[in-house]
Amino acid sequence: MHVAQHTWSPADGWRPARPSGDADLVLAFVPPDADPATAVASAAALAEAFPRAVRVTCTAGGQIAGTRVLDDVAVVTAVRFDATRVRAAATHHRE
């Protein structure tokens, strides 16, 4: 298993650098108060950087990158498995 972590923001783009895109699973944590344009740009950046990965995004109050807690950026953890296939499923919850 190989894990890489990146941050993304509309102002700075990818940090430390644009990901290679060879992940199987991408977990993205974005600020809950991100404006809609930022959310759309974030999703587009993820799709472009990780076209073959299963991408899961959720909001989080204070995103954790390594040992730091960050605000106003998306924190992206990309995982590539050596011998595991990843599939996604979705469900709708009604209150």
Side-chain angles (χ1 to χ4, degrees), residues 3 6 10 13 17-18 23 27 29 32-33 40-41 44 47 56 58 67 70 95:
V3 178
H6 304 272
R18 187 178 187 279
L27 305 172
F29 302 90
D33 57 351
V40 168
V56 179
C58 69
T67 59
L70 304 171
E95 293 185 30

Side-chain angles (χ1 to χ4, degrees), residues 7-93:
T7 61
W8 183 88
S9 72
D12 298 327
W14 289 106
R15 299 279 186 212
R18 187 178 187 279
S20 65
D22 62 349
D24 298 305
L25 174 65
V26 173
L27 305 172
F29 302 90
V30 299
D33 57 351
D35 64 85
T38 299
V40 168
S42 176
L46 282 174
E48 181 181 326
F50 302 101
R52 294 181 306 277
V54 170
R55 298 178 300 273
V56 179
T57 303
C58 69
T59 58
Q63 295 67 252
I64 299 170
T67 59
R68 301 172 297 148
V69 177
L70 304 171
D71 292 316
D72 302 326
V73 299
V75 173
V76 177
T77 301
V79 183
R80 182 170 47 91
F81 298 101
D82 294 325
T84 300
R85 190 174 81 178
V86 178
R87 295 181 5 186
T91 185
H92 298 281
H93 175 71

